[in-house]
Amino acid sequence: MSKLEKDEEAAIKKWCDKRGLLFIKFTPMGEKGWPDRIAILPDGTHVWIELKRNGKKPTKLQHHRMNSLRKNNVITTWYDSAEECIDFLEAELNAI
């Protein structure tokens, strides 16, 4: 049985809170397809993260939005598991 997306988000938020990172839900009005979370690291680095339910992948529009962010030098990625996302954030945190 796969975990719900909200459960994955809650686990990542808890991890971020323990380390003093901001993990913000992003909900733009009238704009679909943008990554739904922004992690802000202590050095001000913003990481835009699209979270999916286990086994699901981003839509074509979501890929387009993430590519738009990357073209503007924004770190963006997607995950369908809290563990993989936390591993990525931990590596980013250790790199600063």
Side-chain angles (χ1 to χ4, degrees):
M1 179 159 121
S2 66
K3 291 183 183 177
L4 297 176
E5 184 178 331
K6 69 179 182 176
D7 296 329
E8 299 291 312
E9 286 183 355
I12 299 164
K13 175 142 180 52
K14 183 177 178 180
W15 182 90
C16 286
D17 287 347
K18 285 183 178 180
R19 284 147 188 87
L21 306 180
L22 296 176
F23 193 61
I24 302 165
K25 180 81 172 176
F26 181 66
T27 53
M29 293 178 55
E31 294 276 336
K32 294 185 179 190
W34 293 105
D36 45 21
R37 287 288 184 161
I38 303 171
I40 303 176
L41 307 181
D43 71 343
T45 299
H46 291 65
V47 180
W48 291 55
I49 303 167
E50 175 61 34
L51 293 172
K52 305 305 288 179
R53 187 177 190 156
N54 290 120
K56 299 294 182 183
K57 295 184 179 189
T59 65
K60 187 175 181 178
L61 177 59
Q62 288 170 326
H63 278 294
H64 172 75
R65 298 288 197 203
M66 287 187 285
N67 287 333
S68 295
L69 289 168
R70 287 184 191 111
K71 287 178 185 174
N72 286 284
N73 297 313
V74 175
I75 301 169
T76 185
T77 187
W78 71 272
Y79 290 101
D80 68 348
S81 86
E83 294 81 16
E84 289 179 2
C85 184
I86 288 169
D87 287 346
F88 174 79
L89 289 172
E90 192 161 37
E92 289 293 316
L93 192 56
N94 290 333
I96 59 172

